[in-house]
Amino acid sequence: MSIPRLPILVVDDNDSGRYITVHTLTRAGYQVIEARSGAQAFEQLALEPALIVLDINLPDMNGFEVCSRLKSDPGTAQVPVLMASASYLTAENTAYGLNVGADAYLAHPIEPAVLLATVQALLRVRAAEAEVRQLNLTLEHRVRERTEELERLNQTLQTRNEELAAFSSSVSHDLRTPVRHIKGFSDLALRALAEQQAEKAVAHLQVVGRAAERMNTLIDGMLRLSMTAMRDIHRAPVSMQQLLDVSLEELTTELIGRQIVFDTSPLPSVQGDRDSLQQVMTNLISNAVKYTRGREEARISIWSEEDDSTVTVSVQDNGVGFDPHYQSRLFGLFQRLHAERDFEGTGVGLAIVRRVIEQHGGQVAASGQLGVGATFSFRLPKEPG
């Protein structure tokens, strides 16, 4: 058996008896520390002994009391105690010593071979118990990790189910509208042709064409959203300032002929997927540019706020805003609060923003007033969660 790193504490007020015990253990390779009383024994506990050889007759307190106090203290309860005595040798004494917590009980003088065998046995038991405790801690840690993982998966599944329900609702409503137009105006065109009303048939077919284009646009939007959902998140340090610069460069053509004042402050770096977060930044700024189109001077502010655990980036504009009563619809698929004749779009951009930010463990938010403007924000954890 390997020699423990921690020492063995020998507690005995009898010099000759203590010498024999210490000599036996030292020759066997053990590190030994000594105490002549119960008070000294408790002082030596600071050295974290691996085992205690405890005599019963001590000048200040008996070994039974020392053992009882050791075993009642969580800090020393796991330390094996080998109790030894030259006078308390009855069966009742042995039983009492074991009942107060002793792990073994021997009579003085102890045969060296018996002492060493008993010490080795107690240390083996302590090592086995320590291993079991470590295994239990490891198991508890793994169970906790697995539970947290299952909770995350359940939350993801719940989010996916909600999105699927919203997706189904959008498909049943938004895609059916152009289909109804195609079907209805196709029938009208056929009727007009049968009645030799060519001009009316052409007008009906033009409506069919616009409905088909609208349907293609909606399908493209759904594909973009589904591709966002399937994309793996590759986390790395991402400079939000660089994302802002790229977004403004990408939107250069949309700014031609416009008087737009951008009020920006330096943005921090976060941990995330660069391509996905670039899409978020571009979508939000593009929205602000689009919905300030009617302003003689558009103002768009972009800033960030931080606390101990999160970073929040906000994009604010002085555009047409929205009715706060419909705020909950903003990040839904195909949800639009303005007519397409006023502002083009499919209502997919903000749905993608929400999907990406939630994939990063963050949240989105929006506030606004009709005719005043709107603020869109996303909050990301500083550390991946």
Side-chain angles (χ1 to χ4, degrees):
M1 177 181 172
S2 61
I3 302 301
R5 177 179 59 84
L6 299 174
I8 293 176
L9 172 59
V10 176
V11 186
D12 192 342
D13 68 331
N14 185 286
D15 293 337
S16 59
R18 188 178 66 257
Y19 172 80
I20 293 173
T21 303
V22 170
H23 182 69
T24 302
L25 294 172
T26 303
R27 287 193 60 188
Y30 294 103
Q31 179 186 355
V32 180
I33 53 178
E34 304 177 43
R36 294 176 173 81
S37 66
Q40 287 184 5
F42 286 109
E43 291 174 0
Q44 296 284 42
L45 293 178
L47 298 176
E48 300 181 353
L51 181 143
I52 299 173
V53 180
L54 178 62
D55 188 46
I56 295 178
N57 285 318
L58 298 174
D60 52 353
M61 63 185 80
N62 64 48
F64 298 127
E65 183 180 352
V66 173
C67 183
S68 178
R69 288 175 57 181
L70 289 170
K71 294 299 182 178
S72 62
D73 184 343
T76 56
Q78 305 301 327
V79 180
V81 175
L82 168 55
M83 195 171 284
S85 177
S87 53
Y88 292 85
L89 302 178
T90 66
E92 289 78 7
N93 297 144
T94 303
Y96 184 71
L98 296 173
N99 284 332
V100 296
D103 297 276
Y105 196 103
L106 299 177
H108 272 310
I110 308 173
E111 288 289 335
V114 174
L115 173 63
L116 294 176
T118 306
V119 166
Q120 290 174 359
L122 293 179
L123 291 175
R124 282 198 301 269
V125 171
R126 183 182 185 184
E129 290 175 345
E131 185 176 355
V132 169
R133 285 194 299 274
Q134 184 58 46
L135 288 173
N136 286 337
L137 288 175
T138 302
L139 180 60
E140 289 175 6
H141 179 68
R142 289 180 178 175
V143 169
R144 192 160 52 245
E145 282 185 336
R146 185 56 58 87
T147 301
E148 292 172 355
E149 181 182 358
L150 289 175
E151 288 175 352
R152 287 194 297 271
L153 290 174
N154 285 336
Q155 181 62 42
T156 301
L157 180 60
Q158 182 179 347
T159 301
R160 293 292 179 267
N161 286 338
E162 292 172 357
E163 291 177 347
L164 180 59
F167 183 81
S168 300
S169 175
S170 297
V171 169
S172 64
H173 178 270
D174 296 278
L175 290 185
R176 283 182 187 276
T177 299
V179 169
R180 284 196 300 268
H181 286 174
I182 292 172
K183 178 67 171 65
F185 282 92
S186 294
D187 291 342
L188 291 175
L190 290 173
R191 188 182 305 171
L193 288 173
E195 297 172 356
Q196 297 184 346
Q197 297 177 333
E199 291 183 3
K200 186 177 290 187
V202 169
H204 293 328
L205 289 175
Q206 288 174 341
V207 175
V208 169
R210 288 194 295 271
E213 290 176 1
R214 173 64 178 169
M215 192 167 184
N216 275 333
T217 300
L218 295 176
I219 291 173
D220 289 342
M222 286 189 294
L223 289 175
R224 290 202 306 275
L225 184 63
S226 65
M227 289 175 64
T228 302
M230 292 185 293
R231 179 185 296 167
D232 291 332
I233 297 297
H234 300 289
R235 296 183 186 275
V238 178
S239 168
M240 300 300 292
Q241 185 64 43
Q242 289 182 0
L243 299 187
L244 171 59
D245 295 340
V246 170
S247 295
L248 293 178
E249 185 178 346
E250 289 178 348
L251 296 171
T252 300
T253 57
E254 296 184 31
L255 307 181
I256 297 175
R258 298 280 307 277
Q259 186 175 352
I260 302 179
V261 177
F262 285 97
D263 180 14
T264 66
S265 59
L267 302 181
S269 294
V270 297
Q271 286 284 333
D273 183 82
R274 180 182 180 84
D275 292 339
S276 298
L277 293 178
Q278 182 68 73
Q279 191 173 20
V280 167
M281 185 70 76
T282 300
N283 283 0
L284 291 182
I285 298 177
S286 177
N287 258 21
V289 170
K290 177 169 64 176
Y291 288 108
T292 56
R293 190 179 297 155
R295 297 289 187 246
E296 184 175 336
E297 180 183 86
R299 302 192 67 86
I300 299 174
S301 300
I302 304 155
W303 73 94
S304 66
E305 299 170 275
E306 296 186 56
D307 57 27
D308 292 340
S309 58
T310 62
V311 173
T312 301
V313 176
S314 300
V315 178
Q316 184 180 67
D317 64 67
N318 65 337
V320 295
F322 58 85
D323 188 337
H325 290 95
Y326 303 105
Q327 180 173 322
S328 60
R329 293 171 48 188
L330 281 170
F331 294 95
L333 180 62
F334 298 146
Q335 299 298 308
R336 291 174 49 82
L337 302 186
H338 301 281
E340 189 174 357
R341 64 177 177 273
D342 298 324
F343 298 99
E344 73 285 354
T346 59
V348 174
L350 290 179
I352 290 176
V353 167
R354 177 191 174 193
R355 173 71 63 82
V356 170
I357 296 303
E358 289 183 348
Q359 284 177 328
H360 282 74
Q363 295 176 311
V364 293
S367 62
Q369 292 288 336
L370 276 174
V372 177
T375 302
F376 290 89
S377 304
F378 60 89
R379 185 168 70 239
L380 294 172
K382 287 184 176 179
E383 295 297 331

